[in-house]
Amino acid sequence: KAEAHLYTIIKIARDEDLKEQTGKDIYFDLVDHEKVRSFRIQKQLPFSTFKEEVAKEYGIPVQFQRFWLWAKRQNHTYRPNRPLNPHEEMQSVGQLREISNKAQNAELKLFLEVEFGLDLQPLPPPEKSKEDILLFFKLYNPEKEVLCFVGRLFVKALGKPSDILRKLTEMAGFTPDEEIELYEEIKFEPNVMCEHIDKKLTFRASQLEDGDIVCFQKSPKADSGTQVRYPDIPSFLEYVHNRQVVHFRSLEKPKDDEFCLELSKLHTYDDVVERVARQLGLDDPAKIRLTSHNCYSQQPKPQPIRYQGVEHLLDMLVHYNQVNPFTCFFFQYEHVLSITIMQNAYPLKILTV
């Protein structure tokens, strides 16, 4: 603890991390920095000396390494922003962290760019001018509902997507004549924003810049006869953004999970109880009563959720103005009743004389 201020943490993301995580751990942005290799380095150490340590770790000689700074954008996404210049690489690790990190975070996050030849041997990084844009590419398969990272390319700002279509089909393993559609992944909070890219416009006209993410897929064919749930990238990302795994427990056994369901945060109350009824093999969803989970007491809340008292599943998960970190509902099936449960009906007291 006494020496902690003398060190900084450097987190290195590589192509391998992007390939490993995209479509498994994450779908949006490029990498989870909590799951990449980190180095604890003395602040006074020259960055050039740190590169020698990276060479030992990954087997990539210093002259073939190029490091990029990450930047948090105004829309809260996190992308590689620009490569370090020679002057910056001559500075100490501590100085570089101060330059790169306006938030005064103790960590320095970097992307390691390494280029390889046909013989899979590393090559010197290509010259980069202001007209060169580094783009990252993800491929979507609608049939398998799989999104994965397939590589990155430098493109010319005044070039057009049509110039790189052949390279993209090679990345994807498609035939050269395959028609593909391109989308830019812009943001995902608070809502997904993924826009179609016009292949006739230049990259600059489409406002693409270093670190941007381009998702692509085969052009949907109307006569394919294949039914898919999410035919294009925007609909798939919308699904991923809103999906929620919910645990269900019987109110009679509040400590034991009975089953889990993958639902959408946009599902209505009726949608949820219908899925529960289907899971339990029950014929009348309207007789299912749901009770929320109190994340502090780890017990069911005293009162069940009012029938149609909330608009969406997301509202059902809110606990003291925050989304419950453990998504759980308790269910009870009122099989004794001959009428359906209407929790918003007024209770009546019947007195006998």
Side-chain angles (χ1 to χ4, degrees):
K1 287 184 178 180
E3 296 181 351
H5 67 286
L6 301 176
Y7 292 82
T8 192
I9 300 297
I10 301 180
K11 293 189 172 181
I12 303 296
R14 304 183 299 152
D15 289 328
E16 289 84 349
D17 298 305
L18 277 57
K19 290 177 182 176
E20 176 65 26
Q21 294 186 27
T22 305
K24 297 177 183 176
D25 298 334
I26 63 169
Y27 286 86
F28 302 100
D29 276 351
L30 292 169
V31 75
D32 181 352
H33 287 92
E34 297 303 313
K35 297 179 180 179
V36 302
R37 176 74 165 86
S38 63
F39 300 80
R40 186 172 181 263
I41 304 296
Q42 284 190 334
K43 291 181 179 179
Q44 298 305 315
L45 187 77
F47 187 76
S48 56
T49 305
F50 168 69
K51 291 179 68 174
E52 294 174 4
E53 187 168 333
V54 172
K56 293 177 184 177
E57 176 72 19
Y58 297 123
I60 305 296
V62 169
Q63 66 269 29
F64 301 138
Q65 302 172 16
R66 179 156 61 188
F67 290 91
W68 289 66
L69 296 171
W70 292 79
K72 187 174 183 178
R73 297 181 175 179
Q74 290 183 344
N75 61 11
H76 304 296
T77 58
Y78 214 60
R79 308 286 169 79
N81 184 44
R82 64 174 179 85
L84 295 176
N85 60 49
H87 173 70
E88 289 170 330
E89 291 202 0
M90 295 300 293
Q91 299 186 30
S92 69
V93 167
Q95 289 173 314
L96 191 55
R97 194 208 72 181
E98 295 298 324
I99 291 172
S100 68
N101 207 329
K102 297 179 181 178
Q104 301 301 309
N105 195 305
E107 299 175 349
L108 172 61
K109 297 183 178 74
L110 298 171
F111 172 70
L112 173 57
E113 175 200 349
V114 181
E115 304 296 336
F116 292 94
L118 295 177
D119 57 358
L120 300 181
Q121 294 300 309
L123 300 172
E127 291 291 327
K128 184 186 183 308
S129 69
K130 291 183 179 180
E131 293 300 306
D132 294 311
I133 301 172
L134 179 62
L135 298 179
F136 294 80
F137 293 88
K138 297 178 184 178
L139 172 66
Y140 175 55
N141 184 324
E143 286 79 19
K144 296 182 178 179
E145 294 181 11
V146 171
L147 181 71
C148 59
F149 174 76
V150 289
R152 51 182 170 77
L153 291 173
F154 281 101
V155 301
K156 294 296 182 182
L158 296 179
K160 298 179 180 179
S162 55
D163 301 334
I164 62 168
L165 291 183
R166 188 175 186 87
K167 288 184 178 179
L168 294 184
T169 56
E170 289 177 3
M171 278 184 182
F174 297 158
T175 58
D177 59 344
E178 185 70 61
E179 287 288 327
I180 61 175
E181 298 297 324
L182 288 76
Y183 299 84
E184 182 190 359
E185 178 192 314
I186 300 173
K187 66 173 186 174
F188 57 94
E189 292 293 352
N191 300 305
V192 172
M193 191 172 179
C194 183
E195 295 185 349
H196 189 266
I197 296 175
D198 190 334
K199 287 179 279 191
K200 298 177 182 178
L201 297 179
T202 65
F203 292 106
R204 177 172 292 168
S206 296
Q207 300 183 336
L208 291 166
E209 58 186 49
D210 282 324
D212 279 341
I213 300 172
V214 175
C215 303
F216 68 102
Q217 65 176 94
K218 290 182 181 180
S219 298
K221 295 179 175 59
D223 58 347
S224 66
T226 305
Q227 294 294 324
V228 293
R229 294 197 302 170
Y230 309 104
D232 56 34
I233 293 162
S235 63
F236 175 73
L237 291 180
E238 194 71 41
Y239 151 70
V240 170
H241 184 255
N242 288 308
R243 70 179 175 183
Q244 180 72 58
V245 175
V246 181
H247 300 254
F248 287 89
R249 300 175 178 180
S250 169
L251 201 58
E252 298 172 355
K253 298 178 181 178
K255 293 184 179 180
D256 302 326
D257 281 1
E258 291 267 344
F259 56 88
C260 296
L261 292 177
E262 184 183 280
L263 305 172
S264 169
K265 294 174 185 175
L266 302 180
H267 275 162
T268 64
Y269 181 95
D270 286 336
D271 293 332
V272 174
V273 292
E274 184 179 338
R275 288 289 305 278
V276 172
R278 196 185 314 161
Q279 175 70 27
L280 295 172
L282 303 175
D283 59 354
D284 193 350
K287 291 183 181 178
I288 293 175
R289 191 195 300 270
L290 295 178
T291 302
S292 295
H293 173 260
N294 186 318
C295 59
Y296 299 114
S297 68
Q298 302 300 318
Q299 294 294 320
K301 289 185 178 181
Q303 300 297 326
I305 301 170
R306 291 176 60 240
Y307 174 70
Q308 295 184 342
V310 291
E311 190 169 354
H312 298 115
L313 172 62
L314 181 60
D315 305 312
M316 298 164 66
L317 301 175
V318 173
H319 184 71
Y320 289 108
N321 297 323
Q322 293 185 342
V323 176
N324 194 334
F326 179 68
T327 51
C328 173
F329 290 124
F330 302 88
F331 64 86
Q332 185 177 24
Y333 186 63
E334 302 296 330
H335 54 84
V336 178
L337 300 179
S338 60
I339 59 172
T340 60
I341 292 173
M342 302 291 287
Q343 284 104 323
N344 58 347
Y346 291 100
L348 296 177
K349 272 188 180 177
I350 301 178
L351 304 178
T352 58
V353 180

